């Protein structure tokens, strides 16, 4: 599978395939990029010269979907990935003056990996371990070893995501 550094490169390849009338390769490109077959079909059927296969947010969410599948995410880690998707769809609601595609283009960048964000969140959770009151552990009928749990709140996770994708490496 071809790795694209930018959403523009992905869309340029899609345009090339569309202009060649190669729907099967366009579908393959879309699916390998985490997009839906219907995205490729809709793009192929469009007569609007302004249309493209996907926008930056779609491409970023598709990349995250592929990474989620590769990492077999479940539970809390899947929730963290979904929080990034939420940030992508809400962005730049609380980031006045920034281009709407800033975060999406950063997430799409193949040099940036969901794995690194999840690892940073997990590390922070481990560092923030607390001891749960033994009465809660007993009421839950859990072993005493379950008394120590790690936490990473949404604000901390948001900072990790922004620092990693938009700023300093975590």
């Amino acid at each position: 599978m071809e790795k694209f550094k930018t959403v523009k490169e992905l869309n340029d390849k899609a345009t090339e395939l569309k202009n060649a009338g190669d729907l099967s390769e366009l579908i393959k490109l879309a699916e390998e990029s985490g997009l839906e077959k219907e995205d490729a079909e809709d793009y192929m059927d469009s007569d609007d010269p302004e249309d493209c296969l996907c926008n930056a947010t779609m491409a970023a969410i598709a990349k995250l979907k592929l990474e989620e599948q590769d990492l077999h995410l479940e539970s809390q880690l899947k929730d963290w990935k979904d929080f990034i998707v939420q940030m992508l769809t809400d962005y730049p609601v609380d980031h006045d003056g920034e281009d709407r595609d800033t975060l999406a283009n950063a997430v799409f960048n193949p040099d940036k990996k969901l794995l690194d964000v999840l690892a940073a969140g997990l590390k922070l959770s481990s560092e923030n371990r607390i001891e749960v009151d033994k009465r809660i552990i007993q009421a839950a009928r859990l072993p005493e070893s379950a008394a120590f749990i790690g936490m990473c709140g949404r604000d901390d996770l948001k900072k990790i995501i922004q620092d990693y994708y938009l700023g300093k490496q975590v």
Side-chain angles (χ1 to χ4, degrees):
M1 177 175 109
E2 190 172 348
K3 291 281 186 190
F4 299 97
K5 290 254 182 219
T6 66
V7 178
K8 182 183 181 323
E9 288 178 6
L10 172 60
N11 280 318
D12 287 349
K13 180 64 175 182
T15 299
E16 177 186 312
L17 294 171
K18 178 181 178 176
N19 291 341
D22 195 340
L23 179 59
S24 64
E25 282 299 310
L26 184 59
I27 290 170
K28 182 179 174 187
L29 173 69
E31 290 176 339
E32 286 178 349
S33 300
L35 298 164
E36 302 295 326
K37 173 183 177 182
E38 291 78 14
D39 295 325
E41 291 171 338
D42 290 346
Y43 177 55
M44 182 64 90
D45 292 340
S46 173
D47 293 329
D48 185 346
E50 298 296 314
D51 271 352
C52 57
L53 176 63
C54 62
N55 62 37
T57 300
M58 288 172 63
I61 291 171
K63 179 181 177 243
L64 290 171
K65 180 177 95 174
L66 292 174
E67 290 177 299
E68 173 187 356
Q69 292 168 349
D70 179 55
L71 295 169
H72 309 286
L73 299 184
E74 294 181 27
S75 188
Q76 187 66 44
L77 296 179
K78 185 177 183 319
D79 288 346
W80 289 355
K81 187 276 306 176
D82 290 343
F83 183 63
I84 299 172
V85 170
Q86 179 186 344
M87 287 178 65
L88 286 166
T89 57
D90 291 348
Y91 203 82
V93 171
D94 54 356
H95 297 85
D96 292 332
E98 288 188 35
D99 181 343
R100 175 163 196 70
D101 294 338
T102 302
L103 180 59
N105 283 314
V107 170
F108 184 78
N109 181 337
D111 296 332
K112 299 288 185 168
K113 308 233 180 314
L114 176 60
L115 178 139
D116 294 330
V117 172
L118 299 177
L122 191 60
K123 182 178 179 183
L124 182 64
S125 294
S126 180
E127 292 168 357
N128 289 342
R129 274 187 308 225
I130 61 165
E131 184 172 2
V132 177
D133 188 292
K134 291 193 184 338
R135 294 172 292 181
I136 298 170
I137 299 301
Q138 290 168 349
R141 294 190 172 101
L142 294 172
E144 284 187 28
S145 62
F148 295 91
I149 60 173
M151 302 283 185
C152 179
R154 278 176 127 19
D155 289 341
D156 289 330
L157 185 58
K158 183 176 182 178
K159 181 174 179 359
I160 288 169
I161 292 164
Q162 289 174 325
D163 285 350
Y164 179 73
Y165 286 117
L166 299 175
K168 64 180 173 100
Q169 193 82 8
V170 176

